[in-house]
Amino acid sequence: RDVGTTTTTEGASGESISAFDEAPVNLKDYGIEDWFAFAIFWGLAVVVFVQFFGRYVINDSPAWTEEIARYLLAMVAYLGGGMAVRKFSHIHVEFLFVYLPRGIAWAMSCAVDVIRIAFFAYATYLGVLVTRIMHNSYMVVRDTWPMSIVFGTCTLGLFVMTLRAIQVTARNWRSGTSPLIAVHDEGRHQ
């Protein structure tokens, strides 16, 4: 088949459907942390491009790109963590939930929710402490920028993860189920 051609079929309601038709984008699916992570990611892309261009094209990479790229990558990871918590896409082990009785699986799921909130809240607290300490340390390549910029952004990401974990827990407990219990109910046997 030629590239760029489309296959058109008729849908159930009689409208024509193209193979290249895509579902409309719903901006309500994205949280505020998604947009901040997206912006920082593109900043990271620009810095890495400058680094690549400098190193391989003009054979003289700017010294600041390595350090700034590292900081931006950490910021993207922590801000993106809020997105992962909201979508329940962090890595987790489903094995036990498949084989346990539903009541025990529900109790374990509730325990996971509480432990997740406690972990993120404590990590946020530690992040605040480290951010305060690092306010008097400065970046190597920009000796006027305090390291608390990087650590503060990472702490903000941890705070967002804490808030999102509370939202996920509330949603799970209101509905009486969770993605972990869905594994049990669907009977996925690995």
Side-chain angles (χ1 to χ4, degrees), residues 57-139:
V57 176
I58 60 176
N59 203 24
D60 185 23
S61 181
W64 57 270
T65 57
E66 186 78 30
E67 183 180 8
I68 299 300
R70 229 177 299 131
Y71 297 152
L72 292 173
L73 182 60
M75 290 181 200
V76 167
Y78 279 89
L79 289 174
M83 184 184 344
V85 172
R86 186 184 75 242
K87 294 182 176 188
F88 207 82
S89 61
H90 271 124
I91 191 168
H92 55 273
V93 179
E94 300 173 341
F95 178 76
L96 288 176
F97 290 93
V98 173
Y99 297 105
L100 291 174
R102 192 175 198 294
I104 294 172
W106 171 246
M108 284 182 59
S109 175
C110 290
V112 166
D113 288 338
V114 170
I115 291 168
R116 182 186 317 116
I117 291 169
F119 173 79
F120 288 136
Y122 186 63
T124 301
Y125 167 73
L126 293 176
V128 169
L129 295 179
V130 171
T131 301
R132 286 181 182 164
I133 292 168
M134 296 307 289
H135 187 67
N136 294 325
S137 296
Y138 295 93
M139 296 181 189

Side-chain angles (χ1 to χ4, degrees), residues 1 5-23:
R1 184 192 308 181
T5 61
T6 61
T7 304
T8 304
T9 58
E10 198 166 295
S13 62
E15 79 279 2
S16 66
I17 301 171
S18 170
F20 289 129
D21 285 346
E22 296 181 17

Side-chain angles (χ1 to χ4, degrees), residues 26-37:
N26 185 0
L27 295 180
K28 292 182 181 180
D29 292 341
Y30 300 100
I32 189 74
E33 68 272 17
D34 300 1
W35 298 109
F36 282 114

